[in-house]
């Protein structure tokens, strides 16, 4: 999966809408935008960390004159060290972060569904985008 900056707000809106329509969570209408902003901040932070990691790797490669074709290999190593998910690990990471937010956010009144049910719905939205 690749997360695009331009899709962050759309994803946040669709996740909140989908989970509230299916009565998995309760979000008061006046707090809906706050819940969406919470999800948006999770995804924005993920992208910020990814940009920072890629920048550090590029600097490291330039300093040590490492060929650019080794970028993917080094990215995988460094992301593992930094505990930063890549590829097919992005969706589970974001879903877990979203679930933690739902449990702890003052903008979410109640959580009604099991984690696995909500993850399936979150995955559906993420796959769509």
């Amino acid at each position: 999966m690749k997360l695009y900056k331009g899709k962050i707000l759309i994803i946040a809106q669709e996740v909140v809408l989908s989970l509230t329509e299916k009565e998995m969570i309760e979000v008061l209408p006046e707090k809906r935008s706050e819940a969406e902003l919470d999800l948006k901040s999770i995804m924005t932070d993920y992208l910020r960390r990814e940009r920072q990691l890629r920048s550090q790797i590029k600097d490291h490669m330039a300093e040590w004159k490492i060929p650019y074709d080794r970028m993917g290999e080094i990215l995988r190593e460094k992301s593992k060290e930094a505990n930063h998910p890549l590829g097919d690990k992005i969706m589970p990471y974001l879903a877990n972060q979203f679930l933690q937010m739902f449990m702890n956010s003052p903008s979410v009144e109640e959580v009604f569904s099991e984690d696995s049910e909500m993850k399936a719905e979150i995955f559906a939205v993420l796959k769509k985008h």
Side-chain angles (χ1 to χ4, degrees):
M1 177 192 167
K2 177 79 173 146
L3 181 62
Y4 295 99
K5 184 178 180 181
K7 293 284 189 172
I8 288 178
L9 183 57
I10 295 166
I11 292 170
Q13 291 170 337
E14 285 190 26
V15 166
V16 171
L17 179 64
S18 178
L19 294 178
T20 54
E21 282 182 346
K22 294 187 178 181
E23 297 182 349
M24 294 180 167
I25 62 172
E26 180 183 358
V27 178
L28 298 176
E30 62 270 13
K31 292 188 177 185
R32 174 175 249 126
S33 63
E34 288 178 43
E36 292 168 357
L37 285 175
D38 289 342
L39 296 182
K40 184 181 172 190
S41 70
I42 290 168
M43 291 182 278
T44 301
D45 184 59
Y46 172 83
L47 287 179
R48 181 193 56 77
R49 287 178 49 212
E50 176 139 340
R51 277 192 309 272
Q52 185 179 31
L53 182 63
R54 286 181 184 273
S55 176
Q56 289 171 352
I57 290 169
K58 286 178 184 177
D59 291 346
H60 172 77
M61 290 175 69
E63 182 180 334
W64 291 94
K65 295 180 175 60
I66 299 171
Y68 188 75
D69 63 350
R70 292 198 49 222
M71 173 87 172
E73 172 190 340
I74 294 170
L75 178 61
R76 284 187 295 279
E77 285 176 24
K78 297 294 183 184
S79 68
K80 194 172 187 178
E81 289 173 15
N83 198 25
H84 181 77
L86 295 174
D88 60 351
K89 294 179 182 170
I90 297 172
M91 279 199 324
Y93 170 80
L94 291 175
N96 286 331
Q97 293 295 309
F98 291 176
L99 292 175
Q100 285 180 346
M101 187 282 299
F102 294 141
M103 298 295 181
N104 297 311
S105 176
S107 58
V108 177
E109 293 296 312
E110 191 71 46
V111 176
F112 299 112
S113 295
E114 296 291 322
D115 288 359
S116 59
E117 295 170 359
M118 292 194 310
K119 278 184 183 182
E121 194 61 34
I122 293 167
F123 284 178
V125 172
L126 290 172
K127 284 178 186 175
K128 183 177 168 184
H129 297 285

